[in-house]
């Protein structure tokens, strides 16, 4: 998803922000992109902050500039302290991805997931060159855990303290789709399947 603008929100104030992948993507379009399955539609409706454009976050006027917004957040955001369990995922070409599983956070108790593994997981990926220790990633991880989700954070090659074990680094230009797919498969197979929770 992406933050909405006044132009799109005014024209779609009462419509769903769902944009189906099978209809293609138009440059600049805002919304939640996913496959048109019943499960995805139900999950979208279950999240009030995403299900309707009028519920999307609106920055105050003095923070409407995205650069000012970013700088303000980096200076004044109070992120909760979090604790991760790191797992290294080897890639086919000899590379390494660091997947951090949220274990606990201030005021949380995410570690209780060991006794009651969450059915649904959120996989977070930070912005360019960032990692699981970025304050906004920690805030998002804690917010998702409070809602009952298991949380995993993918640190791309060479980012977030991920070990460098191959000549290939993370590149936003070249893309790292295969690395992302590897992380998704891990979450589905090791964390969601077989009753395994964040505690292993």
């Amino acid at each position: 998803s992406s933050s909405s603008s006044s132009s799109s929100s005014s024209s779609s104030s009462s419509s769903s922000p769902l944009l189906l992948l099978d209809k293609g993507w138009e440059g600049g379009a805002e919304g939640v992109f996913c496959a048109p399955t019943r499960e995805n539609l139900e999950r979208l409706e279950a999240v009030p902050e995403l299900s309707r454009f009028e519920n999307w976050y609106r920055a105050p006027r003095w923070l409407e500039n995205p650069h000012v917004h970013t700088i303000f957040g980096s200076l004044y955001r109070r992120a909760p302290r979090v604790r991760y369990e790191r797992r290294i995922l080897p890639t086919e070409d000899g590379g390494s991805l660091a997947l951090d599983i949220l274990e606990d956070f201030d005021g949380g108790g995410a570690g209780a997931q060991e006794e009651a593994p969450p059915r649904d997981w959120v996989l977070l990926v930070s912005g360019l060159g960032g990692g699981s220790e970025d304050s906004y990633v920690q805030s998002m991880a804690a917010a998702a855990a409070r809602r009952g989700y298991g949380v995993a954070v993918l640190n791309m090659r060479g980012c977030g303290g991920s070990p460098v074990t191959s000549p290939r680094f993370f590149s936003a230009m070249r893309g790292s789709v295969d690395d992302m797919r590897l992380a998704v498969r891990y979450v589905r197979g090791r964390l969601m399947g077989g009753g395994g929770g964040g505690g292993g």
Side-chain angles (χ1 to χ4, degrees), residues 135-181:
S135 62
Y136 68 93
V137 174
Q138 294 176 341
S139 296
M140 292 175 66
R146 288 191 189 99
R147 286 178 169 267
Y149 291 97
V151 181
V153 184
L154 176 61
N155 298 279
M156 304 302 282
R157 302 183 188 217
C159 300
S162 181
V164 178
T165 59
S166 70
R168 177 185 168 193
F169 291 92
F170 167 69
S171 170
M173 181 177 294
R174 292 176 53 191
S176 299
V177 177
D178 290 341
D179 290 350
M180 188 69 185
R181 287 174 176 162

Side-chain angles (χ1 to χ4, degrees), residues 29-51:
E30 295 177 331
V32 179
F33 294 81
C34 64
T37 65
R38 175 182 295 180
E39 184 179 48
N40 284 340
L41 292 173
E42 290 176 350
R43 289 173 189 244
L44 180 62
E45 287 298 325
V47 183
E49 295 87 351
L50 289 179
S51 60

Side-chain angles (χ1 to χ4, degrees), residues 23-187:
K23 293 184 178 180
W25 178 76
E26 299 179 3
E30 295 177 331
V32 179
F33 294 81
C34 64
T37 65
R38 175 182 295 180
E39 184 179 48
N40 284 340
L41 292 173
E42 290 176 350
R43 289 173 189 244
L44 180 62
E45 287 298 325
V47 183
E49 295 87 351
L50 289 179
S51 60
R52 313 298 295 179
F53 270 122
E54 58 265 30
N55 294 337
W56 282 29
Y57 172 74
R58 299 286 186 273
R61 283 188 174 273
W62 56 279
L63 278 181
E64 287 182 348
N65 182 288
H67 303 297
V68 174
H69 200 158
T70 299
I71 294 171
F72 182 85
S74 66
L75 293 176
Y76 297 103
R77 180 185 297 111
R78 295 180 180 178
R81 288 181 295 179
V82 301
R83 180 169 58 86
Y84 297 112
E85 176 193 337
R86 173 155 292 191
R87 304 184 187 184
I88 302 299
L89 310 183
T91 66
E92 291 184 357
D93 65 347
S96 297
L97 306 175
L99 187 70
D100 289 335
I101 312 300
L102 182 65
E103 288 290 302
D104 203 354
F105 63 96
D106 283 349
Q113 293 172 354
E114 297 182 18
E115 301 177 4
R119 185 176 69 88
D120 298 319
W121 281 76
V122 173
L123 179 60
L124 300 176
V125 183
S126 71
L128 184 62
S132 58
E133 296 301 325
D134 290 346
S135 62
Y136 68 93
V137 174
Q138 294 176 341
S139 296
M140 292 175 66
R146 288 191 189 99
R147 286 178 169 267
Y149 291 97
V151 181
V153 184
L154 176 61
N155 298 279
M156 304 302 282
R157 302 183 188 217
C159 300
S162 181
V164 178
T165 59
S166 70
R168 177 185 168 193
F169 291 92
F170 167 69
S171 170
M173 181 177 294
R174 292 176 53 191
S176 299
V177 177
D178 290 341
D179 290 350
M180 188 69 185
R181 287 174 176 162
L182 175 63
V184 170
R185 286 197 300 269
Y186 184 92
V187 171

Side-chain angles (χ1 to χ4, degrees), residues 17-30:
L18 179 66
L19 296 174
L20 304 182
L21 291 178
D22 61 346
K23 293 184 178 180
W25 178 76
E26 299 179 3
E30 295 177 331

